[in-house]
Amino acid sequence: MQSENSPADPGLTIVDLASAAPLADLSQIDNVTDLLLDRLRTAPDHIAFEIPARRGGLHDPWEQISTREFMRQVTDAARGLIARGVETGDAILIMAPTHYLWAVADFASLFAGAIVVPAYETATDTQIDAILDEMKPVAAFAGDGATERRISASAARTGQSLHTWVLGDEDGNDPRSTPIRDLMTCGTEVTDEELEARRSAASLDDIATVVYTSGTTAAPKGALITHRNLVGQVLNTAAAYGEVVRETGNTVLFLPLTHVLGRALQLICVAKGMRVAHLSDPKEVVQALAVLQPTFLVVVPRVLEKIEAAAAGAAREKRIEPVWRIAAETARNWGAHLEEKDLDAARRAPLRLRLQHAIFDRIFYRRLRRVMGGRIEYLLSGAATLPPSLALFFRGIGVPTIEGYGLTETTAPLTGGRPGALVAGSVGTPLPGNTVGIASNGEVLAKGIGVFNGYRNPAHNADAFLDGYFRTGDLGSLSADGSLTLNGRLKHIIVTSTGRTVAPERWEHPIEAHPLVAHAILIGTDRRYLTGIVLLDAEALAARPPHAEPERSETGVAGVQRCTDPQVLREIGSAVEEANALVTPTDRAQHWCALILETDRMEEFLTPTMKLKRGLLIEDLAPVVDDLYR
């Protein structure tokens, strides 16, 4: 299904390449379900999952689920699907938050020979209709009764009939819903032979799942991901990070399982025995870390920014903010020193730096590590660009952060930094079995074990590939050792009325590192000069002492106010000045404003993976933008 060239850019060529040989042998694996079967044979009684006690809080004991028990639940649900008429190759929708039973539903669908179609709970009715119309699922798993009814209503609108089961509401409080436990009891007549025939029907080159992109600039597109894509990425990534993903480790998974990164991480953990606990509410993560004490955690940069900001806020309230600033700078300096990639680097650090680091470790750093559970050996940051200063800070406090890069179309990780060779600002080298290229326009290209089989709608494939390489839409460059550095999005490039081209991320990212900033947007397409809009973080503003509402004024746009607070504007103004100093004079924002958006309005402009819908935002804020050019 892949198009071998790009009609839209006939002169585009590949100018640089970096590859990594595969480390995993897939010859003995038929499909994704073999990952669970192999684990069952190896360690049936190993604890695979932890789930919160029913009606219990985060601090109550968590129930432990062995690989054997997980397999029992998966096969029971798979038998139920077969009994309810699911056939090989049928599509099954999963529309639910991150939850242990999401994993059960996912594997059960694959064991029944079906294709899994995840959908975000935040999807609009129009998006649900489009997915159902395109995929025509015969069954669905919903997060709760309300979501189940949305799916049923969509099925009625699109003229389809499907069975639905609810993953939540396990106590049966909603009489209108059918819980998944009912499914697990209705397939007792399905024989072992019939189940095995269904489980083994798919080959590595069959479609395992169709994942719809989150859609920052256009309608979501269904990416066809094969069993080979999933198995290849899982086993090769696990081989590359053997010291991180291991039986004695554990993680807390709060990324949406609808997103391919969360799903891939879960499969890696199942295959390699790393214990998983799920959290559907990201706001509970910090509390849960102290209880579950993970050794590894996947986060988005905003989580790390909030942890650093919370530490700064605590220091401010205790009136030791000047000391904290020195401690934070010491952490960044220590992190930069460790970037020498030498195990003896710490011993060769300047005496003053060693002493400062030892003192601040006792005062601050070890407390931060305790807040994060006290056992985290590595973080993995993905989904957005991690500011280098933040990567250096966390490495400096003793929590190295691996930066990675991937997309839905690459089945999540395409590149990643390696333990012992982490470079702040780089997203690492290609993972085993993958190749990264750079096109003549600076676009990042991808080819390899994880690169998908094209889009569900063939029309979307026309401009998606160049000489067999997937066009990611990201801009980047490769260093001599094959490390990839990202430089922005191709679609975000600003072309001014004078013909200048500007990559806005070089201005935006430094401002977004400020704890009060949620997003920064550089504007200037078809304008003579550039301006900027800074969206403030409502939670960070509320947490500032003396916890008073910042001064603001109306903008004329519903749910959007202009921040007029002098203290806040001084802080943001300093961040803007620093960002302007980092770019050439013609790439600087000549004017800017700071806005506060109501929570509901902010959510309108974010994808489920927290990416900004820039075009929609700029269009909605047209009156504010026009004011910046008056």
Side-chain angles (χ1 to χ4, degrees):
M1 297 198 55
Q2 298 181 3
S3 173
E4 291 299 312
N5 50 50
S6 176
D9 296 285
L12 211 57
T13 59
I14 301 172
V15 297
D16 203 359
L17 288 173
S19 298
L23 296 178
D25 177 14
L26 309 188
S27 62
Q28 302 302 310
I29 297 178
D30 292 325
N31 60 47
V32 172
T33 64
D34 283 340
L35 297 176
L36 179 54
L37 282 178
D38 288 347
R39 186 62 194 162
L40 180 69
R41 284 190 287 267
T42 302
D45 297 316
H46 185 77
I47 302 304
F49 296 95
E50 291 180 298
I51 62 175
R54 194 172 291 182
R55 296 196 184 91
L58 289 176
H59 294 277
D60 292 323
W62 285 53
E63 182 183 346
Q64 296 186 326
I65 305 292
S66 68
T67 305
R68 190 196 308 277
E69 174 59 17
F70 177 60
M71 175 64 90
R72 184 193 65 77
Q73 294 183 28
V74 165
T75 53
D76 283 352
R79 292 175 194 274
L81 291 172
I82 295 170
R84 287 291 177 265
V86 172
E87 299 289 347
T88 301
D90 282 346
I92 294 180
L93 183 78
I94 304 181
M95 190 171 172
T98 299
H99 191 287
Y100 163 71
L101 288 173
W102 208 110
V104 173
D106 186 19
F107 268 101
S109 300
L110 295 173
F111 266 69
I115 295 171
V116 177
V117 184
Y120 290 103
E121 285 188 298
T122 54
T124 64
D125 288 346
T126 300
Q127 289 171 329
I128 300 171
D129 290 354
I131 292 173
L132 263 62
D133 190 53
E134 189 165 88
M135 292 305 305
K136 297 180 172 46
V138 300
F141 293 99
D144 55 26
T147 303
E148 181 189 35
R149 288 186 284 281
R150 289 188 67 203
I151 294 171
S152 297
S154 178
R157 287 192 298 271
T158 55
Q160 299 177 57
S161 175
L162 72 170
H163 296 285
T164 58
W165 296 275
V166 173
L167 301 183
D169 190 36
E170 296 173 56
D171 295 317
N173 295 324
D174 188 343
R176 295 172 294 179
S177 299
T178 305
I180 188 175
R181 68 168 181 268
D182 287 9
L183 177 67
M184 294 179 179
T185 60
C186 71
T188 55
E189 295 182 3
V190 175
T191 66
D192 292 345
E193 292 74 19
E194 187 174 0
L195 178 61
E196 176 58 18
R198 287 296 193 86
R199 183 204 69 78
S200 59
S203 71
L204 283 176
D205 294 316
D206 287 324
I207 302 301
T209 184
V210 179
V211 180
Y212 281 80
T213 59
S214 54
T216 57
T217 58
K221 296 179 286 190
L224 303 174
I225 295 176
T226 65
H227 286 268
R228 185 182 301 277
N229 292 146
L230 285 168
V231 171
Q233 284 291 64
V234 163
L235 295 184
N236 278 289
T237 302
Y241 293 100
E243 63 190 274
V244 178
V245 183
R246 61 183 196 280
E247 278 191 345
T248 56
N250 67 300
T251 189
V252 178
L253 186 53
F254 59 93
L255 294 177
L257 287 170
T258 302
H259 190 276
V260 72
L261 176 58
R263 188 118 158 266
L265 174 60
Q266 178 164 267
L267 285 173
I268 290 172
C269 291
V270 168
K272 296 302 174 181
M274 176 173 267
R275 195 166 72 251
V276 177
H278 298 89
L279 283 179
S280 58
D281 186 356
K283 294 178 181 177
E284 295 180 337
V285 172
V286 175
Q287 299 177 57
L289 295 181
V291 178
L292 297 167
Q293 299 181 321
T295 60
F296 174 66
L297 198 65
V298 177
V299 296
V300 294
R302 195 63 185 152
V303 171
L304 301 184
E305 289 170 356
K306 289 190 174 185
I307 291 174
E308 185 185 22
R316 192 181 304 117
E317 290 193 348
K318 294 176 181 176
R319 303 193 177 186
I320 56 172
E321 188 175 13
V323 180
W324 166 255
R325 282 199 293 265
I326 298 172
E329 186 62 25
T330 297
R332 285 188 283 271
N333 290 338
W334 187 261
H337 192 76
L338 294 180
E339 206 162 85
E340 294 179 16
K341 308 177 187 177
D342 190 321
L343 294 178
D344 294 325
R347 288 181 223 160
R348 296 200 313 272
L351 178 61
R352 178 183 176 87
L353 179 58
R354 287 201 311 255
L355 290 175
Q356 284 182 319
H357 187 271
I359 291 169
F360 290 134
D361 189 71
R362 291 186 178 185
I363 299 173
F364 294 115
Y365 307 156
R366 65 178 57 177
R367 293 185 182 184
L368 272 176
R369 294 196 297 270
R370 279 200 297 269
V371 167
M372 300 170 71
R375 296 179 67 230
I376 289 184
E377 298 164 355
Y378 289 97
L379 297 169
L380 171 63
S381 177
T385 301
L386 178 68
S389 62
L390 203 59
L392 293 175
F393 171 81
F394 276 91
R395 186 185 308 159
I397 70 168
V399 186
T401 303
I402 299 168
E403 295 179 65
Y405 165 69
L407 305 94
T408 298
E409 293 88 344
T410 63
T411 319
L414 175 67
T415 70
R418 307 297 198 276
L422 302 176
V423 178
S426 165
V427 293
T429 55
L431 291 176
N434 290 295
T435 297
V436 172
I438 303 296
S440 51
N441 66 347
E443 185 175 9
V444 178
L445 308 173
K447 191 175 187 178
I449 192 70
V451 177
F452 74 142
N453 213 34
Y455 294 109
R456 177 68 173 77
N457 184 343
H460 293 149
N461 294 321
D463 301 329
F465 295 89
L466 172 68
D467 295 336
Y469 285 80
F470 172 64
R471 300 181 60 186
T472 67
D474 289 307
L475 296 169
S477 59
L478 290 168
S479 65
D481 69 351
S483 295
L484 176 65
T485 298
L486 297 175
N487 301 319
R489 285 286 290 172
L490 191 61
K491 290 182 178 180
H492 294 170
I493 291 291
I494 295 170
V495 182
T496 67
S497 61
T498 60
R500 293 197 320 276
T501 59
V502 180
E505 289 87 353
R506 295 170 187 164
W507 182 86
E508 294 167 350
H509 289 163
I511 296 173
E512 290 173 343
H514 192 286
L516 292 182
V517 177
H519 300 279
I521 307 99
L522 192 65
I523 297 168
T525 296
D526 296 330
R527 306 271 190 170
R528 288 186 301 107
Y529 56 87
L530 304 174
T531 61
I533 289 177
V534 179
L535 304 183
L536 300 179
D537 187 310
E539 288 184 16
L541 286 173
R544 285 167 56 88
H547 308 291
E549 284 286 324
E551 298 174 22
R552 58 187 82 190
S553 63
E554 296 301 324
T555 61
V557 179
V560 180
Q561 296 176 313
R562 188 188 303 268
C563 178
T564 58
D565 190 283
Q567 176 59 35
V568 174
L569 293 180
R570 275 194 296 272
E571 287 194 42
I572 303 303
S574 296
V576 171
E577 287 178 10
E578 292 175 7
N580 276 342
L582 294 172
V583 298
T584 61
T586 55
D587 290 359
R588 294 171 182 169
Q590 304 300 312
H591 306 289
W592 61 277
C593 66
L595 303 179
I596 303 172
L597 273 62
E598 294 178 359
T599 301
D600 290 346
R601 290 308 321 271
M602 181 68 88
E603 290 177 351
E604 288 179 29
F605 302 119
L606 296 177
T607 71
T609 53
M610 305 306 290
K611 293 185 180 73
L612 192 66
K613 299 177 181 178
R614 298 170 65 99
L616 180 63
L617 176 70
I618 293 171
E619 180 182 342
D620 203 74
L621 295 179
V624 178
V625 173
D626 289 341
D627 282 345
L628 291 172
Y629 286 93
R630 284 187 181 136

